[in-house]
């Protein structure tokens, strides 16, 4: 445990140059006293770490010192080669950079771990797009990725109901179920655009000051939750068999299925439950719930119940 912590301490100093004992203690989740002892142990082992006094002081490594990745376990080395996304990286034009980075990591690994990428590649593969998605990245993805890396202001044309032009500060790209999205600051707020709906992109040559407090994963999670709540603005009351309740997640949005499970009442003698299901509209609900066949009964609203009954009657007539 301590050996792993010592390696992490060296890597932190290697990547951030100067850190105080308090900062190191926070990162390593130990006390400052433990940091002092660890630094002494590293110095005794020949690692050139020293303390700078003063207001902006802290611990540093002697200039130019680099540690090789000889402290990696086999499990850590194999996991390292699973952390990248070669497909999406290639879509953004980063395939050569990823390959070069992997070669450098391989060169730093001890000979006993050089087969780590082969072992990981034989066992795991990420296929991000959905089964029925379009193949190939959106045409403007690479240009957008360059603007994101450079913090460059762009003028983009976006097509939804109609085509609009926006001046945007591209903060990040998100790949969700095979679809790329751009998160950008427009005016005072952040907006989300589907990249395949961006019809034109013009770099302005100007850069913007990035808000360092902006959290892309956190922003995306909040946007996704808000989007689902806004989309699933109506509710229907349904009665589900045990099989219907299990299959619900395959018929509706996962968020809606989770809400329905949370609000389900006590099962009756046959195991059926009554619950409220968030839906986009009664028409969409009809299409989704028909997938469950005889494992679901719509109770409310009456109009949807009548449509489901009519659908069931037509299906029954086909099999008479």
């Amino acid at each position: 445990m301590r050996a792993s912590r010592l390696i992490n301490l060296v890597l932190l100093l290697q990547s951030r140059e100067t850190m105080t004992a308090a900062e190191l203690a926070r990162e390593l989740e130990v006390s400052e006293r433990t940091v002092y002892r660890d630094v002494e142990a590293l110095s005794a082992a020949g690692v050139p770490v020293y303390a700078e006094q003063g207001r902006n002081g802290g611990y540093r490594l002697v200039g130019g010192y680099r540690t090789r990745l000889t402290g990696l376990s086999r499990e850590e080395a194999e996991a390292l080669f699973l952390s990248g996304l070669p497909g999406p990286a290639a879509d953004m034009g980063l395939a050569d950079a990823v390959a070069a980075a992997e070669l450098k990591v391989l060169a730093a690994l001890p000979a006993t771990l050089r087969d780590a990428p082969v072992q990981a590649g034989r066992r795991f593969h990420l296929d991000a797009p959905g089964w029925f998605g379009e193949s190939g990245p959106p045409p403007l993805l690479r240009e957008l990725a360059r603007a994101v890396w450079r913090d460059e202001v762009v003028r983009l044309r976006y097509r939804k109901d109609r085509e609009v032009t926006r001046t945007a500060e591209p903060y990040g790209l998100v790949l969700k179920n095979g679809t790329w999205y751009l998160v950008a600051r427009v005016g005072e707020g952040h907006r989300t655009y589907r990249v395949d709906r961006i019809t034109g992109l013009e770099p302005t040559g100007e850069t913007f000051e990035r808000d360092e407090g902006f959290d892309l994963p956190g922003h995306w999670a909040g946007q996704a939750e808000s989007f689902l709540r806004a989309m699933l603005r109506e509710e229907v009351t349904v009665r589900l068999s045990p099989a219907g309740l299990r299959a619900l997640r395959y018929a509706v949005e996962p968020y809606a299925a989770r809400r329905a499970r949370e609000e389900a009442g006590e099962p009756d003698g046959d195991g059926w439950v009554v619950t409220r299901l968030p839906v986009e509209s009664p028409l969409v609900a009809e299409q989704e719930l028909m997938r469950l066949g005889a494992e679901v009964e719509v109770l409310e609203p009456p109009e949807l119940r009548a449509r489901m009954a009519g659908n069931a009657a037509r299906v029954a007539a086909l099999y008479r």
Side-chain angles (χ1 to χ4, degrees):
M1 186 67 159
R2 191 189 186 199
S4 174
R5 189 175 69 242
L6 292 174
I7 292 171
N8 287 340
L9 193 155
V10 173
L11 291 175
L12 282 169
L13 293 179
Q14 189 172 295
S15 62
R16 303 191 192 178
E17 295 189 356
T18 304
M19 295 184 71
T20 65
E23 291 171 335
L24 286 166
R26 219 169 22 247
E27 289 284 347
L28 298 171
E29 298 181 350
V30 296
S31 68
E32 290 186 37
R33 186 178 296 275
T34 299
V35 170
Y36 299 145
R37 287 198 299 265
D38 286 350
V39 169
E40 289 179 5
L42 287 171
S43 296
V47 177
V49 56
Y50 70 98
E52 280 189 341
Q53 304 299 321
R55 182 178 178 182
N56 297 318
Y59 289 108
R60 296 175 57 92
L61 293 171
V62 172
Y65 178 83
R66 311 293 291 177
T67 182
R68 291 174 62 83
L69 298 178
T70 53
L72 287 177
S73 68
R74 170 162 290 279
E75 182 180 25
E76 291 167 338
E78 291 175 351
L80 182 64
F81 287 94
L82 287 175
S83 62
L85 301 175
D91 289 348
M92 292 187 290
L94 299 174
D96 291 343
V98 170
E102 288 189 352
L103 282 174
K104 290 178 181 179
V105 172
L106 276 173
L109 287 173
T112 55
L113 298 181
R114 297 266 168 87
D115 64 338
V118 175
Q119 296 298 331
R122 285 175 176 171
R123 289 164 173 78
F124 301 99
H125 173 67
L126 174 64
D127 185 8
W131 279 108
F132 306 108
E134 294 182 0
S135 59
L140 296 174
L141 178 62
R142 293 192 177 192
E143 291 180 55
L144 275 173
R146 281 196 292 271
V148 169
W149 279 114
R150 296 170 181 172
D151 293 339
E152 184 175 19
V153 180
V154 296
R155 276 188 290 273
L156 55 86
R157 294 195 305 276
Y158 186 74
R159 171 184 46 79
K160 194 175 181 183
D161 299 325
R162 58 187 178 85
E163 190 169 87
V164 297
T165 301
R166 295 284 185 268
T167 299
E169 298 174 357
Y171 263 57
L173 289 162
V174 177
L175 178 62
K176 169 69 172 178
N177 197 29
T179 301
W180 285 94
Y181 295 87
L182 169 71
V183 177
R185 186 166 64 191
V186 177
E188 296 300 317
H190 291 87
R191 303 191 64 177
T192 302
Y193 301 92
R194 274 186 59 148
V195 175
D196 58 5
R197 291 179 180 167
I198 296 176
T199 58
L201 181 71
E202 180 186 347
T204 64
E206 302 174 8
T207 58
F208 63 90
E209 191 70 28
R210 180 177 289 267
D211 177 7
E212 295 301 330
F214 179 77
D215 175 18
L216 180 61
H219 172 82
W220 177 260
Q223 285 286 101
E225 187 80 4
S226 298
F227 171 76
L228 283 174
R229 286 178 178 172
M231 184 180 73
L232 305 177
R233 58 188 180 275
E234 299 189 40
E235 286 188 335
V236 299
T237 303
V238 296
R239 182 169 168 264
L240 290 159
S241 71
L245 189 61
R246 289 193 300 269
L248 188 62
R249 64 192 180 102
Y250 301 112
V252 302
E253 285 286 341
Y255 167 79
R258 186 177 73 247
R259 284 277 308 277
R261 287 194 301 271
E262 292 170 351
E263 298 187 14
E266 290 297 319
D268 62 17
D270 296 320
W272 288 62
V273 296
V274 175
T275 188
R276 301 283 293 175
L277 176 69
V279 298
E280 184 175 350
S281 69
L283 178 61
V284 174
E286 177 187 353
Q287 297 168 348
E288 292 176 336
L289 293 175
M290 283 297 295
R291 301 171 188 169
L292 299 178
E295 306 303 327
V296 62
E297 178 188 1
V298 173
L299 303 179
E300 291 179 346
E303 298 82 5
L304 178 58
R305 179 178 174 86
R307 290 183 65 88
M308 294 290 287
N311 291 335
R314 286 195 294 274
V315 171
L318 291 174
Y319 290 95
R320 281 198 188 106

